[in-house]
Amino acid sequence: MAKKRYRFATFNLLNFAAPPYSFYQLHEHYNETQWQTKTQFITGLIQHINPDVIVFQEVFSPDSLQMLCEDLGLVHFATVDAPSPDHVYPSVLFKPVVAIASKLPFKSFAPLEPCPELLEYLNNQHQFKFNRTPIKCKFDIPGFGLLACYAVHFKSQRVHSMAHMLGDSNQDDPLLTLLHETVGTMQSQISRSLEASIIYYDALKTQREKQAATLVMGDFNDALDSPALSFMTQAFPPVLASNGFDSVGLFDSFLYADNNHKEKPASHYYQGEGNVLDYILCSKEFNPNREMPRVKSLHYYSYDAHLDPKRIDEDICYSDHAAIAIEITL
């Protein structure tokens, strides 16, 4: 008998770098006690979530994560990129990757390749590179059908310094501060929006050509209703099956969950303020309100007990993000 329930989750691990490796700077690393606490926390949380498929962000040590996942029954594991070591200190790593682990076998997985024609249309004809290469993974789920799953981690809101453009300017220069708050922030939004556009295009194209259900899961590093990302869902209100976008599109899984709360739980806190940065976007096949729905129910879960809104500094032994998950019943 085919399984009746499936869980899909996403979790930003916060600098998952196994000793003796450091993340970003030589002094930023875990001692053995911290690493043991970190891995025990992640193990316990994954056991609590009990996902069939889970995607991860901020992975510096894929091999360690793969072993951890295999011990939890998530025996199918994939990454499509590798962190970059520092040229002077090889133990210092940059550019963490995304990963996906599953109890279900992969039908296929690959790095998401941008469509050249789309880049040309968007006037981005130079050598485009994702800040973190997304994974496009396909599953053939018994009782449900073909599923295309995208593991993503969009460009952060961190602004790259423009100091080199001002000659001898220092970081306290008021002009530099203003440029960072305006032009720098805009450039960050443009990068994030371009990454989202490429994934959105590929997801809709795959829906149309392969008749594939779709999940886009990960850390979006922005609110879904922000100018940079709102296009991903605003054109597809899946309430009415007769609307013109019923064939292709994406919607926020939280909005149509059976256990929908009045307010979506924050998945990240910055200086005491809660933000929703982590999302699971779905195609029409996950909407239980359609005529002749493919799923009977959809539940949304937020695993945020480890988050302290009052905490200012990151606690590297845990994570600064909540894990989120959806469960579907067939």
Side-chain angles (χ1 to χ4, degrees):
M1 179 179 292
K3 185 176 179 179
K4 296 297 184 181
R5 296 177 185 269
Y6 292 92
R7 280 198 178 193
F8 304 90
T10 177
F11 188 25
N12 184 321
L13 299 176
L14 180 62
N15 300 326
F16 188 86
Y21 291 101
S22 300
F23 42 94
Y24 303 117
Q25 298 186 59
L26 192 60
H27 69 276
E28 293 185 322
H29 55 82
Y30 298 89
N31 60 39
E32 291 299 330
T33 301
Q34 290 173 321
W35 184 244
Q36 184 179 14
T37 300
K38 176 92 167 182
T39 52
Q40 287 177 344
F41 159 69
I42 293 171
T43 297
L45 188 54
I46 294 176
Q47 287 175 326
H48 184 48
I49 299 171
N50 191 26
D52 295 281
V53 178
I54 182 169
V55 303
F56 301 100
Q57 300 84 37
E58 294 201 27
V59 181
F60 286 100
S61 299
D63 292 343
S64 297
L65 182 60
Q66 181 173 4
M67 288 189 292
L68 185 154
C69 288
E70 287 179 348
D71 289 342
L72 296 172
L74 296 155
V75 296
H76 306 282
F77 186 92
T79 56
V80 294
D81 206 350
S84 301
D86 184 80
H87 295 301
V88 178
Y89 301 101
S91 64
V92 179
L93 302 177
F94 298 90
K95 297 184 178 180
V97 303
V98 298
I100 185 168
S102 174
K103 296 175 182 176
L104 307 168
F106 301 137
K107 186 178 178 69
S108 66
F109 70 87
L112 179 62
E113 298 291 344
C115 172
E117 291 79 11
L118 178 63
L119 289 178
E120 184 175 355
Y121 177 79
L122 296 172
N123 293 321
N124 195 295
Q125 301 178 43
H126 303 291
Q127 288 189 339
F128 169 83
K129 287 196 68 175
F130 284 102
N131 284 270
R132 298 98 170 177
T133 304
I135 303 173
K136 181 180 181 180
C137 190
K138 292 180 182 176
F139 299 94
D140 195 354
I141 299 180
F144 183 80
L146 183 63
L147 171 65
C149 181
Y150 296 80
V152 306
H153 188 184
F154 291 154
K155 167 72 176 72
S156 72
Q157 298 186 32
R158 186 177 298 109
V159 174
H160 295 301
S161 177
M162 301 172 68
H164 65 285
M165 301 172 62
L166 302 179
D168 297 329
S169 176
N170 59 58
Q171 296 298 324
D172 296 326
D173 188 326
L175 173 57
L176 180 61
T177 299
L178 183 59
L179 286 173
H180 283 169
E181 292 176 351
T182 53
V183 178
T185 298
M186 180 185 68
Q187 178 56 35
S188 175
Q189 292 174 347
I190 291 172
S191 297
R192 194 157 50 253
S193 189
L194 178 59
E195 292 180 341
S197 298
I198 293 167
I199 292 166
Y200 179 74
Y201 173 83
D202 191 89
L204 268 58
K205 191 168 183 286
T206 302
Q207 287 177 18
R208 189 189 70 174
E209 295 179 354
K210 305 296 184 182
Q211 302 299 305
T214 308
L215 290 177
V216 180
M217 305 195 292
D219 179 358
F220 285 30
N221 261 317
D222 208 343
L224 193 56
D225 59 0
S226 71
L229 301 178
S230 61
F231 67 88
M232 296 188 78
T233 55
Q234 67 182 8
F236 185 53
V239 180
L240 300 175
S242 59
N243 72 65
F245 296 95
D246 187 59
S247 59
V248 296
L250 296 169
F251 65 91
D252 182 0
S253 57
F254 176 79
L255 298 179
Y256 297 93
D258 296 345
N259 59 335
N260 188 359
H261 304 288
K262 291 183 178 180
E263 187 174 349
K264 193 172 189 179
S267 67
H268 181 268
Y269 288 90
Y270 180 70
Q271 295 183 346
E273 182 178 351
N275 304 283
V276 182
L277 303 181
D278 303 86
Y279 293 90
I280 299 177
L281 304 187
C282 305
S283 60
K284 66 181 188 298
E285 290 82 1
F286 289 86
N287 181 8
N289 301 324
R290 299 176 70 235
E291 293 182 15
M292 300 179 64
R294 192 178 295 191
V295 301
K296 295 179 180 178
S297 66
L298 185 152
H299 277 62
Y300 180 96
Y301 299 94
S302 177
Y303 302 89
D304 57 3
H306 58 282
L307 297 183
D308 182 359
K310 298 179 181 179
R311 187 177 180 86
I312 302 300
D313 300 324
E314 294 176 346
D315 187 344
I316 62 172
C317 294
Y318 298 93
S319 174
D320 57 346
H321 283 252
I324 63 170
I326 62 170
E327 180 183 84
I328 59 171
T329 304
L330 305 182

